[in-house]
Amino acid sequence: YSMYWWSNRFFAILARRHGKHGARLLEVGSGMGHLVGNLSHTFKTFGMDLNHWAVNKSKEAAESASLQTASAQELPYKDAAFNVVIIKHIVEHLPDPAKAINEIGRVTQKNGILILATPNLGSLLKPWKGDKWIGYQDPTHISLKQPEEWLKLIQDAGFEFIRVFSDGFWDAPYIRFVPK
C-alpha cells in the first residue's frame, strides 16, 4: 500500500507542476481511481481502465471524475481532448503499446503533457537482480522494452522530451513530454 500511495503522490506532483490549473487530465489505466481522485481539485479529470469492476469501484475515490471502461489501444476520446495524460505502468501490459502511445498522441493537445512510466530494461540494478528484477516478477509484463525503444515510439507519436529519468531503485523510468 505504501508504494502505491507514494507512486500516486509522485505522479500528482508531476501533473500539478507541469499542467495548468483547470486543464483536462486523463489517466489511462486509472485502476481504483485514487490518482484522478487526488487530482480532481486541480484538473477536470477523466479516467479509463480496461477493468470494468475497477472503474465502478473507482467512483468512490474519484467522485467528480468522468470514468469509463475502455482499452488504452482504442481511446474513446476526440482528437486533442486533453492537456495532460498520465499512463503509469500500463504500457508493459499491452500487446500493442505503440498503438496505445499513438492514441495518446492523438488525444493530447499541442503543447500538452504526457507523463509515462514503465519498467526500465536499462536499469542499473537489473543486472544485479537478475531473474528477481521487478520487471520480470509480473507475468503480465508482455511488452518490456529498452528505454531507446520507448523513446522512439513516443517521438513517433508526436511528442518531444522535457525530461527522461529513472529513479534507479524502483526500476522505473519516468518520462515527461510535450507534443510538437
Side-chain angles (χ1 to χ4, degrees):
Y1 173 77
S2 65
M3 179 58 184
Y4 182 69
W5 173 86
W6 178 88
S7 172
N8 281 334
R9 183 176 184 272
F10 179 75
F11 279 86
I13 289 168
L14 289 177
R16 287 185 181 114
R17 182 178 298 156
H18 297 284
K20 292 184 169 81
H21 189 86
R24 293 168 57 92
L25 178 141
L26 170 66
E27 184 183 7
V28 177
S30 55
M32 301 296 286
H34 295 111
L35 180 57
V36 289
N38 183 332
L39 291 168
S40 65
H41 300 294
T42 308
F43 300 99
K44 176 141 179 62
T45 52
F46 296 77
M48 50 80 42
D49 200 286
L50 192 59
N51 185 319
H52 183 70
W53 178 87
V55 170
N56 282 336
K57 190 77 174 156
S58 66
K59 292 173 182 170
E60 296 171 17
E63 293 174 13
S64 64
S66 174
L67 304 163
Q68 65 181 304
T69 305
S71 167
Q73 297 171 171
E74 296 177 20
L75 296 175
Y77 305 105
K78 293 180 180 176
D79 295 357
F82 300 100
N83 311 96
V84 180
V85 178
I86 298 173
I87 181 167
K88 62 176 187 136
H89 295 284
I90 300 297
V91 291
E92 65 271 17
H93 298 274
L94 302 175
D96 192 350
K99 187 173 182 186
I101 292 168
N102 282 327
E103 276 287 275
I104 290 168
R106 179 185 66 77
V107 303
T108 305
Q109 292 180 355
K110 183 176 172 49
N111 296 322
I113 299 291
L114 167 63
I115 303 169
L116 180 146
T118 188
N120 180 5
L121 277 178
S123 166
L124 296 175
L125 295 182
K126 182 178 159 272
W128 298 347
K129 293 180 179 182
D131 291 343
K132 296 193 185 314
W133 176 62
I134 193 169
Y136 296 146
Q137 297 306 303
D138 185 339
T140 68
H141 286 177
I142 59 173
S143 293
L144 294 170
K145 299 181 183 304
Q146 289 290 336
E148 299 77 25
E149 294 176 83
W150 288 118
L151 297 176
K152 177 159 182 6
L153 290 176
I154 292 161
Q155 277 185 313
D156 290 349
F159 293 95
E160 35 182 83
F161 308 113
I162 296 173
R163 187 170 172 213
V164 177
F165 65 99
S166 174
D167 61 19
F169 296 104
W170 304 108
D171 300 311
Y174 299 99
I175 308 169
R176 291 184 280 173
F177 306 94
V178 175
K180 293 180 181 173

